[in-house]
């Protein structure tokens, strides 16, 4: 009788150990899947946001060239405004998904973008007044923060 009890206890301990090991493994798998899912969504949002910024910058520069040439800049300004509207919507998703460092960098990019927009909207401002350099510098900081948030390291160049 004692051997049967020991056998039964051994089977019970084995079953419980197997159950807990499976639960721990499934939880770890679920966490990895969720992290991957959100990282993919973050990456898509980051790419779309930066693309809008680049479209705004390009359209602002086109508007500046048009002002310098004395031609109509309305198409470039309209494209710039459409990109700004998309950027505004994407920014909300960006902030919801990103870490604090990336969100702060995106706020700085927004401020530099708004300066560029204000300058490009003035009909008398041409290329000399439109300076995208502060925006480019802010984008570089944002790129670094986004890579850090996504745990993407910089590629090492071997020579």
């Amino acid at each position: 009788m004692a051997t049967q009890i020991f056998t039964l206890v051994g089977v019970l301990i084995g079953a419980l150990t197997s159950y807990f090991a499976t639960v721990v493994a499934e939880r770890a798998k679920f966490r990895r899947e969720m992290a991957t899912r959100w990282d993919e969504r973050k990456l898509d949002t980051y790419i779309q946001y930066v693309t809008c910024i680049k479209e705004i910058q390009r359209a602002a520069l086109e508007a500046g060239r048009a002002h310098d040439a004395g031609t109509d800049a309305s198409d470039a300004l309209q494209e710039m405004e459409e990109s700004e509207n998309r950027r505004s919507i994407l920014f909300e998703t960006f902030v919801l998904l990103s870490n604090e460092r990336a969100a702060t960098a995106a706020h700085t990019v927004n401020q530099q973008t708004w300066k560029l927009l204000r300058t490009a909207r003035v009909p008398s401002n041409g290329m000399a007044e439109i300076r995208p350099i502060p925006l480019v510098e802010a984008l570089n900081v944002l790129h670094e923060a986004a890579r850090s948030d996504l745990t993407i390291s910089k590629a090492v160049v071997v020579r």
Side-chain angles (χ1 to χ4, degrees):
M1 173 97 171
T3 32
Q4 291 176 342
I5 291 176
F6 288 131
T7 304
L8 186 59
V9 170
V11 169
L12 185 61
I13 290 173
L16 287 173
T17 303
S18 176
Y19 171 76
F20 287 121
T22 302
V23 166
V24 168
E26 285 298 316
R27 282 186 183 173
K29 179 181 173 186
F30 177 76
R31 286 186 185 123
R32 279 192 308 274
E33 287 173 356
M34 291 306 293
T36 301
R37 177 178 152 207
W38 286 112
D39 281 351
E40 289 172 2
R41 181 76 192 263
K42 274 188 207 183
L43 179 61
D44 290 343
T45 300
Y46 290 0
I47 290 170
Q48 290 173 16
Y49 176 80
V50 171
T51 299
C52 281
I53 297 296
K54 299 301 276 185
E55 288 171 355
I56 290 167
Q57 180 183 10
R58 186 188 50 72
L61 293 172
E62 277 184 36
R65 283 189 213 90
H67 293 314
D68 283 347
T71 58
D72 184 24
S74 61
D75 287 343
L77 292 172
Q78 181 180 351
E79 184 180 337
M80 186 180 73
E81 297 301 333
E82 289 170 1
S83 294
E84 167 57 14
N85 289 337
R86 278 195 332 267
R87 183 221 48 87
S88 176
I89 293 167
L90 282 169
F91 178 71
E92 298 304 321
T93 306
F94 189 107
V95 171
L96 287 172
L97 294 176
S98 67
N99 66 11
E100 187 175 343
R101 183 174 167 218
T104 301
H107 280 289
T108 303
V109 167
N110 285 346
Q111 291 168 351
Q112 295 302 323
T113 301
W114 294 330
K115 287 179 186 177
L116 184 66
L117 287 166
R118 279 192 300 272
T119 304
R121 287 177 182 136
V122 177
S124 61
N125 286 344
M127 287 299 291
E129 288 83 12
I130 297 176
R131 306 281 304 161
I133 294 170
L135 176 56
V136 171
E137 292 169 351
L139 276 171
N140 289 339
V141 173
L142 176 63
H143 292 153
E144 183 61 36
R147 276 194 301 273
S148 173
D149 187 21
L150 295 167
T151 62
I152 299 171
S153 60
K154 283 187 175 181
V156 178
V157 178
V158 180
R159 293 182 189 208

